[in-house]
Amino acid sequence: MSSFASWTRVVGLTLSPDGGRLIATVQSPGSGGRTFVPALWEIDPTGEHEARRLTWSARGESSPAFTADGELLFLSGRDRTDPGPELWRLPEHGEARVAARHPGGIRGFTSARSTGTIAYSAGLLPGALDAESSAKLRKVRSAAGVNAILYESGATRYLGRDLGPEEPHVFVREIDRDAPVNLGGLGLGWATGADTALSPDGTRIAYTRNIDGRIPDENRAAVVVADTGTGERLHVVDGLRQLHYRPVFTADGAGLVCHRELQGTYDRPPHETLIRTDLVTGEETDLLAGFEHWPMEVSLSPVPGDDTLWFTAGEQGRSPVFRRDPDGTVTRLTESGAYSGLCVSPGGRTLYALRSGLDAPPRPVRLDAAEAGQEPAVLPSPGGIGALPGTLTEVHTEADDGFPLRGWLVLPAGACAEKRAPLLVCVHGGPHISWSAWSWQWNPWVFAARGYAVLMPDPALSTGYGRRMLERGWGQWGGRPYHDVMALTDAVVARSDIDATRTSLAGASYGGYLANRVATRTDRFKAIVSCSGQWDLRSFQSETDSPWQFQRFLGDPLTQPERYEADSPHLDVARIRTPMLVTHGGKDYRVPVTQSAALFQDLQRFEVPVKFLYFPNENHGITAPGNLALRYSAILNFLDHHVLGAQWRLPEVL
């Protein structure tokens, strides 16, 4: 597992309109190992032939999609002097050529299934009406040495990037013609503009539009349906305290399906579903009324008049594929694994997807579109791995409120009563996710290869266990979830193959927060690793890139300080005795690095053994292959020192 951080990985999948070509996006380390470079590979849908690589540029190619006549479209910066990508088109036989370009690059695109219409999102500077005028303004700013941004409302940052000064706009054009039509701005919030869809005939477009409000409850995202020829808005799917996103037109163009999130409030957790909007009558239908789990990816039947759809959702530590029939019946099609990248064949009889699991990286697979309880056929592709250094099993216990809890346990090879394994408890982020899919950021097999057992618990606030799992932890970030993690830990250390005297805990994002909270509440662990976690909830709420979101369920700190006072770890720093390793990225805007910097200083003040591993150019996740390998190395050396009693070893590159 020493080269784990640089393994080739499959990250996306798309199918041609005729069902004959299946394209995967595959990432491999670039020159110098500073980043992963995506390339496009063709996968044989029948599984009879090996995959073949289609693109080779140094900057890479991503976001593949097909035109109605079968040409492959993708984004690439291969011909640009600046990092912004262009839209390229590649015939099945021949060379790629530019299909569209924009100053600053194209952010995302979509194409009509039956015509030559394409739509893409790209930025315009304030005062610019088109790409040409925006390019002139960019030159003026550059000549003046100005890169300042003036904000007058709304968000200023999102994850690892600053918002503005350009606002993303939607442009529509025929692929063989110039002069795209500007359909308007998308706002500067989390909706970046790649969230677009064209009707099959290309006459209408649906796109997500961010709406900024004066108070947290007014911030939301709406889906706009507009005429592609005139830009006239025909319909808006919107609602107070709601997010609408990922629009998809039905095959006949008469309806639109999108995700709707009922945003969490101080008293109520969020809930996600799929809604269908009739574009003639405006009537909205909840397609998953009564369904307990949150839908993730969705794919609609390509057959006009057929309202069947397929979607993925977390369930009991897995992410199965579900089929919803027109009468509302929902059938689970898969037994194991976590699925993404759903593609439906033209006749609606076959599905293609990426399947992964905690014990398997994503691989392209083929599924029957109707059979329940099936195992998929794996298709030849890059990105395979060898034998894993251990085994995977489930663990179950009961919470102190009687709720059934479960998690995954990775056991290193050879663990037994005579050779008990030290334990690492790894808490997931979110918190509204669960351990179900392969992770490159937090992979248990790296630790198993070093001899550690790894517990991956799903505590309160995890998804895939119904609304009750969210409700029982709502309003107490460091309360009920903490007790659930401890209950699952107790169940695991009672096993004869686990060494209860040598335990540690780690987490990132919300998991980093919970690691910080655990450090203030118990000294049972020999070491704790906190990555990109919240430390001072009050300062975090005002510094994060989405303060309105956290203020809704944590409360206004000026008028509702109770949750900040009850759950902020920094208030209990004097109780911490456990050695801690803290890691964070300098461009993390979701949980700003100031949270970990303050934790580092506070622990020193109270003479707690602590180390702070800082990545200046990383954001909320560690993505560069070299940095990811370094973080694994530092964590393992830290655990070996404090859990196993080995001498501390500074990673060589430091």
Side-chain angles (χ1 to χ4, degrees):
M1 302 291 288
S2 59
S3 61
F4 170 82
S6 61
W7 283 355
T8 296
R9 49 191 72 174
V10 185
V11 297
L13 206 62
T14 192
L15 184 68
S16 62
D18 65 3
R21 302 184 66 193
L22 187 63
I23 306 298
T25 304
V26 179
Q27 293 180 341
S28 301
S31 177
R34 292 182 176 85
T35 187
F36 282 96
V37 178
L40 304 184
W41 288 66
E42 183 151 359
I43 309 297
D44 179 15
T46 70
E48 297 176 1
H49 305 289
E50 293 296 319
R52 65 185 183 96
R53 186 168 178 171
L54 299 178
T55 62
W56 298 84
S57 79
R59 288 193 176 183
E61 297 79 21
S62 63
S63 306
F66 283 94
T67 63
D69 60 5
E71 281 197 325
L72 181 61
L73 301 174
F74 58 86
L75 295 179
S76 178
R78 55 172 65 180
D79 262 7
R80 297 186 69 90
T81 56
D82 64 59
E86 301 163 314
L87 179 61
W88 290 73
R89 55 193 296 187
L90 176 66
E92 187 170 2
H93 305 287
E95 295 295 321
R97 60 192 188 280
V98 175
R101 55 168 47 100
H102 189 94
I106 291 173
R107 304 186 183 194
F109 75 95
T110 188
S111 60
R113 187 176 183 87
S114 304
T115 67
T117 307
I118 59 172
Y120 59 86
S121 59
L124 291 181
L125 284 167
L129 299 177
D130 52 30
E132 183 179 0
S133 58
S134 189
K136 291 179 180 178
L137 289 173
R138 287 169 63 90
K139 290 181 179 179
V140 170
R141 284 172 60 89
S142 178
V146 170
N147 62 359
I149 306 170
L150 175 64
Y151 298 104
E152 297 184 271
S153 65
T156 62
R157 303 180 296 180
Y158 182 73
L159 290 181
R161 65 182 181 88
D162 295 314
L163 299 177
E166 295 178 322
E167 179 185 358
H169 284 240
V170 176
F171 298 87
V172 175
R173 56 173 285 190
E174 295 300 310
I175 196 166
D176 292 316
R177 301 178 186 174
D178 294 325
V181 177
N182 177 9
L183 298 185
L186 300 174
L188 288 178
W190 65 272
T192 62
D195 216 8
T196 58
L198 283 166
S199 61
D201 63 4
T203 61
R204 286 165 295 169
I205 185 172
Y207 57 88
T208 301
R209 164 75 177 164
N210 188 75
I211 299 172
D212 298 317
R214 296 168 297 169
I215 59 175
D217 284 347
E218 291 180 348
N219 282 269
R220 60 194 191 275
V223 169
V224 176
V225 180
D227 184 282
T228 55
T230 64
E232 177 188 359
R233 292 189 177 186
L234 306 175
H235 196 90
V236 178
V237 185
D238 190 15
L240 194 63
R241 302 190 186 98
Q242 297 179 9
L243 300 177
H244 294 89
Y245 57 97
R246 295 183 190 169
V248 185
F249 282 93
T250 58
D252 58 9
L256 185 81
V257 174
C258 68
H259 285 69
R260 181 181 69 194
E261 178 186 331
L262 299 177
Q263 294 177 300
T265 67
Y266 192 80
D267 301 311
R268 182 200 68 209
H271 178 67
E272 290 207 22
T273 189
L274 299 175
I275 64 167
R276 184 188 190 280
T277 301
D278 188 305
L279 297 178
V280 177
T281 66
E283 180 183 359
E284 292 185 3
T285 303
D286 185 344
L287 298 177
L288 297 179
F291 188 74
E292 279 283 295
H293 309 307
W294 290 10
M296 293 182 286
E297 295 191 14
V298 61
S299 192
L300 308 189
S301 171
V303 179
D306 180 13
D307 288 332
T308 303
L309 62 82
W310 295 263
F311 65 96
T312 63
E315 183 185 67
Q316 296 287 322
R318 296 158 179 83
S319 183
V321 177
F322 294 88
R323 171 188 170 113
R324 183 197 183 274
D325 290 320
D327 64 1
T329 301
V330 175
T331 304
R332 175 176 168 165
L333 301 186
T334 58
E335 291 291 345
S336 62
Y339 291 81
S340 62
L342 285 182
C343 303
V344 184
S345 67
R349 296 181 178 180
T350 304
L351 299 177
Y352 300 95
L354 295 179
R355 182 204 182 275
S356 79
L358 289 179
D359 56 353
R363 301 295 301 274
V365 298
R366 185 179 64 248
L367 292 158
D368 185 279
E371 182 182 348
Q374 61 186 295
E375 287 295 326
V378 179
L379 304 176
S381 69
I385 61 172
L388 294 171
T391 57
L392 179 68
T393 187
E394 289 190 68
V395 292
H396 299 265
T397 193
E398 189 175 276
D400 57 16
D401 63 352
F403 194 89
L405 301 175
R406 67 160 302 283
W408 294 102
L409 177 64
V410 168
L411 285 171
C416 61
E418 292 72 34
K419 186 182 178 182
R420 294 180 299 164
L423 176 68
L424 171 64
V425 180
C426 196
V427 185
H428 66 62
H432 307 313
I433 59 174
S434 67
W435 288 117
S436 60
W438 181 269
S439 172
W440 297 103
Q441 293 278 326
W442 284 96
N443 193 283
W445 303 105
V446 177
F447 302 99
R450 194 81 143 230
Y452 289 89
V454 183
L455 168 63
M456 310 179 83
D458 280 348
L461 300 179
S462 299
T463 52
Y465 301 90
R467 290 187 60 84
R468 177 60 184 149
M469 187 62 142
L470 299 175
E471 293 169 348
R472 58 192 291 272
W474 195 248
Q476 44 173 323
W477 262 28
R480 174 59 62 192
Y482 163 79
H483 292 293
D484 287 357
V485 169
M486 293 301 104
L488 281 161
T489 300
D490 289 340
V492 168
V493 298
R495 294 170 57 107
S496 62
D497 49 10
I498 299 296
D499 187 343
T501 67
R502 298 189 297 172
T503 62
S504 56
L505 182 139
S509 190
Y510 171 76
Y513 159 79
L514 203 56
N516 295 337
R517 200 69 184 116
V518 167
T520 69
R521 304 191 71 168
T522 180
D523 59 1
R524 69 180 294 172
F525 298 105
K526 299 290 187 182
I528 289 179
V529 181
S530 170
C531 301
S532 309
Q534 296 91 338
W535 174 239
D536 180 339
L537 289 183
R538 184 160 180 165
S539 65
F540 159 74
Q541 187 278 319
S542 61
E543 294 174 350
T544 181
D545 59 3
S546 51
W548 50 271
Q549 176 183 1
F550 291 96
Q551 189 177 124
R552 275 202 326 274
F553 55 78
L554 287 175
D556 186 330
L558 299 178
T559 60
Q560 295 172 297
E562 295 83 8
R563 290 182 180 173
Y564 299 91
E565 295 170 356
D567 279 336
S568 189
H570 84 288
L571 296 174
D572 297 317
V573 61
R575 300 179 183 177
I576 298 180
R577 298 290 183 269
T578 307
M580 295 188 67
L581 172 64
V582 181
T583 79
H584 217 119
K587 294 185 177 180
D588 187 348
Y589 293 162
R590 178 54 46 88
V591 181
V593 69
T594 49
Q595 294 290 303
S596 286
L599 168 60
F600 180 54
Q601 297 302 327
D602 285 349
L603 291 179
Q604 291 182 82
R605 183 160 61 94
F606 284 88
E607 299 182 340
V608 178
V610 61
K611 300 182 187 299
F612 181 23
L613 182 58
Y614 171 57
F615 298 94
N617 295 321
E618 297 281 5
N619 53 51
H620 196 51
I622 306 302
T623 58
N627 285 339
L628 186 57
L630 169 61
R631 188 175 72 170
Y632 276 121
S633 177
I635 292 173
L636 283 165
N637 290 357
F638 184 78
L639 297 180
D640 287 351
H641 177 53
H642 290 287
V643 178
L644 305 184
Q647 183 176 355
W648 163 250
R649 291 180 299 157
L650 185 71
E652 290 183 4
V653 294
L654 295 177

